[in-house]
């Protein structure tokens, strides 16, 4: 090959390479982070499918969906939410954050407060409203700021799960869960079992007061709301959980353990223990427990009812949302994708096909939710957003600590709640 | 250029990558957190000078005081038991010629295993329903206990695990020290009619003083910084019964994103460790014996 020809070949190769790289670069890349250890194992594959579909439909856009928690830290049993959250915060602070990311509403609060989250454009909010999004879901994603800071990925609220087999054994109607707190206490006593030494061998109801403080506060919030209370006042600037309702709700917790002895401080208290038959009633906040139970505890005869009422049936709701980075250079593309993701067709695939609680009321009409186990969730009255403040992340652990402190009898009920309220008010006043 | 200067220059050049690494990843964060402890500093941008407010808040916090007392509890029991046990095992191994390497390896295996992995395993060992510890106790009609859920048992359980994990390391150090003591001393003592206990008291322990201080210092440094086992096994609970200082630092810095407050707590811990190490070094110099 002579020199001229060699030069020509080199020139053409360079041109072709530049052309190819130019074509690749012409695609707008939108980075999207999720935490595989925390996201529902049922919705995650659907999310990847939908992203693939969107990428195929939009030749000039590439949604780069990445699980950034491949360490499997969830396997430690401590959950990976905090590690994921720290990773996202550090990335946002150093301006290498994703364009869009998934997280719990409580964990979205600090970046919202610091101005790192882009408020949803009006067309996205309008479309969500048009598609029938639950009002409380919008409230949860706005955190009392008047703006909506994302779209829902999945939503969670509480209901009472119970083991029908134990109901039959105790002479209770397995089709009717406890309706009031009096029913609830009576049922819990009847369902509990003790050995000859008086040691609890089956909990009538599993009071959640150990483990993560946020989880502890979350589950107690159901009872607070059922007693007519709320975490913060209407303005979202003052603690309201140390009210009469709060005292009644926490006293109920203390009584269940120490007076009625339907649970014990050293008794197992997770959904696995419920699935294994150590617990007769439990109130989680995640409806994805139902497919989980169906998958891993197939023999369990599951009943679901509303949270028992003191003054009303109510439940604390949380949203795991997807938000857009305020500093992203592709905000428009990011919101267009999220808007598409929340259109009825895609939302149906995400929620209904995976038997997840829907964020949109019309989807709750789907026959898939007709079974008793879902009906109690989808028709649950008074689902109230827990995210009433951008300082939720700091507030919840304080409430959780107050609950633990009272149940372990380190403090009286009123004292624990008043102490926690003083700390919360200090944070809110900053 | 002189040959010596050239040689020095090459040495400095060879050392510089490590130095750069240390400056970026060790010294810069140390200095930055010292500065940050005087600021209202959140990970998402806020950086306002507040003087000693973080320190003030720290000492007013009942939670921090609880963390300090829990850490002290952990340090006292974990360090004392593991040091005594390590010495005892080393002493026995030094005397037993048969299966020596087998026992040495057996005791050392936990040291080289991942702490997080071990913590998960021990969490299962302590599990109230299916845990092997309760099963073992049931063979002797001892009622089962919720080791990590009971506020009185949680910290001792964590201490038990850390003793199991760390004793092997200190045992090897003691063993090295024991091997360095001349047999002549013991033979002379035996001729004089000294009992085993007297040999330990008047020969072994005095000659092992520098090693003992080294083990105590290393063990204290480790114990004051206890964290992974707490994070994995108890998350500081129940009711803060196992909440330790590093957990407090982690929670404030990385859960509540209050880096300034977390930095202040880190410096309080740093000063505690510094003072203890200083006292130990002073004590060692006073008591130092020659001959090892």
């Amino acid at each position: 090959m002579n020199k001229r020809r060699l030069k020509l070949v080199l020139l053409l190769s360079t041109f072709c390479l530049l052309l190819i790289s130019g074509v690749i670069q012409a695609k707008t890349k939108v980075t999207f982070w999720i935490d595989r250890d925390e996201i529902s194992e049922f919705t995650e594959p659907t999310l990847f499918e939908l992203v693939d579909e969107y990428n195929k439909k939009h030749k000039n856009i590439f949604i780069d969906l990445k699980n950034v928690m491949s360490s499997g830290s969830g396997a430690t049993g401590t959950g990976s939410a905090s590690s994921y959250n720290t990773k996202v915060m550090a990335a946002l602070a150093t301006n290498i954050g994703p364009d869009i990311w998934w997280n719990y509403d409580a964990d979205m609060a600090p970046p919202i407060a610091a101005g790192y989250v882009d408020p949803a454009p009006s067309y996205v909010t309008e479309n969500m409203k048009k598609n029938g999004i639950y009002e409380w879901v919008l409230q949860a994603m706005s955190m009392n700021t008047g703006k909506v800071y994302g779209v829902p990925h999945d939503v969670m609220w509480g209901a009472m799960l119970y083991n029908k087999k134990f109901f039959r054994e105790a002479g209770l109607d397995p089709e009717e869960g406890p309706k009031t707190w009096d029913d609830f206490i009576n049922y819990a006593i009847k369902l509990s079992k003790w050995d000859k030494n008086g040691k609890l061998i089956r909990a009538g109801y599993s009071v959640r007061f150990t483990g993560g403080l946020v989880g502890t506060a979350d589950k107690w919030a159901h009872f607070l709301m059922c007693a007519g209370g709320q975490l913060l006042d209407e303005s979202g600037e003052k603690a309201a959980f140390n009210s009469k309702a709060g005292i009644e709700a926490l006293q109920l917790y203390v009584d269940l353990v120490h007076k009625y002895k339907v649970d014990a401080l050293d008794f197992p208290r997770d959904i696995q223990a419920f699935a294994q038959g150590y617990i007769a009633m439990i109130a989680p906040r995640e409806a994805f427990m139902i497919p989980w139970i169906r998958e891993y505890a197939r023999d369990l005869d599951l009943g679901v009812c509303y949270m028992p009422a003191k003054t009303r049936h109510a439940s604390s709701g949380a949203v795991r949302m997807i938000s857009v980075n305020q500093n992203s250079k592709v905000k428009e593309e990011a919101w267009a994708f999220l808007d598409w993701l929340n259109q009825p067709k895609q939302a149906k695939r995400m929620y209904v096909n995976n038997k997840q609680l829907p964020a949109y009321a019309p989807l709750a009409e789907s026959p898939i939710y007709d079974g008793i186990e879902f009906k109690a969730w989808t028709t649950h009255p008074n689902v109230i957003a827990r995210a009433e403040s951008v300082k939720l992340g700091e507030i919840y652990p304080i409430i959780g600590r107050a609950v633990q402190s009272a149940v372990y009898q380190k403090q009286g009920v009123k004292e624990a709640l008043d102490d926690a309220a003083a700390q919360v008010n200090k944070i809110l006043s900053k | 250029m002189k040959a010596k200067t050239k040689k020095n220059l090459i040495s400095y050049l060879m050392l510089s990558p490590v130095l750069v690494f240390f400056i970026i990843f060790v010294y810069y964060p140390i200095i930055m957190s010292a500065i940050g402890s005087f600021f209202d500093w959140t990970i998402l941008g806020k950086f306002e000078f507040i003087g000693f407010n973080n320190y003030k808040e720290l000492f007013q916090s009942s939670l921090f005081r609880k963390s300090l007392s829990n850490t002290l509890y952990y340090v006292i029991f974990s360090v004392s038991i593991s040091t005594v046990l390590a010495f005892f095992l080393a002493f026995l191994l030094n005397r037993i010629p048969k299966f020596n390497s087998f026992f040495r390896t057996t005791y050392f295996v936990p040291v080289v295993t991942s702490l997080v992995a071990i913590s998960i395993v021990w969490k299962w060992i302590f599990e109230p329903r299916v845990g092997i510890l309760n099963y073992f106790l049931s063979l002797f009609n001892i009622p089962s206990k919720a080791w990590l859920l009971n506020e009185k048992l949680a910290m001792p359980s964590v201490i038990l695990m850390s003793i199991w994990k760390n004793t092997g390391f200190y045992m090897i150090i003691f063993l090295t020290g024991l091997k360095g003591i001349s047999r002549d001393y013991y033979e002379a003592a035996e001729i004089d009619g000294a009992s085993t206990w007297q040999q330990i008291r008047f020969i072994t322990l005095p000659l092992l003083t520098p090693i003992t201080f080294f083990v105590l210092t290393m063990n204290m440094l480790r114990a004051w910084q206890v964290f992974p086992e707490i994070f994995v096994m108890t998350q500081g609970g129940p009711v803060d019964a196992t909440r330790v200082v590093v957990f407090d630092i982690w929670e404030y810095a990385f859960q509540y994103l209050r880096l300034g407050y977390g930095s202040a707590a880190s410096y309080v811990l740093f000063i505690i460790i510094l003072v203890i190490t200083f006292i130990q070094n002073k004590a060692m110099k006073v008591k130092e014996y020659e001959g090892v």
Side-chain angles (χ1 to χ4, degrees), chain B residues 266-277:
Chain B
S266 305
Y267 266 84
V268 170
L269 181 63
F270 168 71
I271 288 163
I272 290 170
I273 293 174
L274 190 76
V275 168
I276 290 169
T277 314

Side-chain angles (χ1 to χ4, degrees), chain A residues 60-363:
Chain A
N60 296 329
I61 300 210
F62 177 63
I63 307 292
D64 186 15
L65 176 58
K66 266 189 193 147
N67 162 42
V68 292
M69 291 306 295
S70 50
S71 63
S73 50
T76 59
T78 56
S80 72
S82 58
S83 315
Y84 170 74
N85 203 30
T86 310
K87 203 172 219 176
V88 172
M89 297 303 130
L92 290 175
T94 49
N95 216 11
I96 54 164
D99 296 305
I100 50 183
W101 78 99
W102 170 99
N103 217 338
Y104 284 85
D105 47 10
D107 293 327
M108 277 296 179
I112 288 173
Y116 281 85
V117 186
D118 192 41
S122 55
Y123 79 92
V124 175
T125 313
E126 287 311 314
N127 280 343
M128 285 193 282
K129 284 180 184 167
K130 197 178 80 189
N131 296 332
I133 195 164
Y134 288 117
E135 189 55 38
W136 74 265
V137 177
L138 272 186
Q139 275 171 9
M141 296 193 298
S142 75
M143 299 178 199
N144 251 329
T145 61
K147 293 171 184 166
V148 177
Y149 283 95
V151 297
H153 170 269
D154 55 332
V155 290
M156 305 181 278
W157 64 89
M160 183 75 76
L161 307 189
Y162 60 89
N163 190 320
K164 286 185 182 177
K165 186 181 145 201
F166 297 155
F167 266 54
R168 280 187 215 101
E169 281 174 12
L172 301 168
D173 180 357
E175 303 309 322
E176 291 282 338
K179 288 192 173 69
T180 65
W181 280 16
D182 288 340
D183 288 347
F184 171 60
I185 293 165
N186 287 333
Y187 283 29
I189 294 168
K190 282 182 183 167
L191 290 162
S192 298
K193 268 192 172 177
W194 300 269
D195 68 10
K196 57 182 188 298
N197 301 317
K199 194 173 165 70
L200 190 72
I201 50 173
R202 187 209 288 160
Y205 174 75
S206 178
V207 183
R208 167 71 190 267
F209 52 80
T210 57
L213 295 170
V214 173
T216 302
D218 252 343
K219 275 69 181 183
W220 176 73
H222 295 321
F223 290 92
L224 169 74
M225 289 164 182
C226 286
Q230 54 190 50
L231 292 167
L232 303 178
D233 70 0
E234 293 301 322
S235 68
E237 288 167 7
K238 204 168 171 235
F241 56 81
N242 55 335
S243 57
K244 181 174 169 271
I247 292 167
E248 284 173 343
L250 193 50
Q251 190 62 53
L252 175 72
Y253 260 37
V254 174
D255 288 349
L256 286 170
V257 176
H258 298 286
K259 188 174 168 188
Y260 308 118
K261 298 187 190 305
V262 301
D263 195 0
L265 295 177
D266 54 3
F267 201 74
R269 58 195 64 266
D270 46 26
I271 195 74
Q272 284 87 349
F274 174 70
Q276 289 167 346
Y278 288 98
I279 294 167
M281 294 191 286
I282 194 167
R285 198 199 44 206
E286 298 89 358
F288 56 71
M289 291 302 174
I290 291 186
W292 184 89
I293 287 168
R294 286 284 164 259
E295 182 73 24
Y296 300 109
R298 291 176 190 179
D299 296 335
L300 195 141
D301 196 358
L302 182 70
V304 188
C305 64
Y306 296 156
M307 290 302 300
K310 173 78 181 171
T311 60
R312 59 178 178 175
H313 296 292
S315 170
S316 156
V319 182
R320 300 203 286 188
M321 55 202 273
I322 307 172
S323 295
V324 175
N325 187 344
Q326 181 69 271
N327 298 322
S328 165
K329 292 188 174 75
V330 289
K331 283 194 272 194
E332 210 174 294
E333 291 82 354
W335 279 117
F337 164 67
L338 294 184
D339 183 54
W340 176 84
L341 196 64
N342 265 261
Q343 290 304 318
K345 202 175 145 198
Q346 285 70 250
K348 189 180 171 200
R349 279 171 64 183
M350 183 68 86
Y351 298 112
V352 181
N353 295 5
N354 291 311
K355 293 189 176 177
Q356 301 294 299
L357 286 180
Y360 296 90
L363 293 178

Side-chain angles (χ1 to χ4, degrees), chain B residues 218-235:
Chain B
M218 295 298 289
N219 211 347
M220 285 256 192
L221 288 177
R222 173 199 64 78
W224 276 101
Q225 296 174 77
V226 57
F227 175 69
E229 51 268 61
I230 298 287
F231 182 75
V232 174
M233 293 169 75
T234 63
Q235 286 273 300

Side-chain angles (χ1 to χ4, degrees), chain A residues 37-56:
Chain A
D37 295 330
E38 284 290 320
I39 206 165
S40 157
E41 64 182 278
F42 301 101
T43 58
E44 191 210 339
T46 311
L47 185 62
F48 271 90
E49 279 168 27
L50 288 168
V51 165
D52 273 350
E53 211 174 293
Y54 190 82
N55 284 339
K56 278 177 193 154

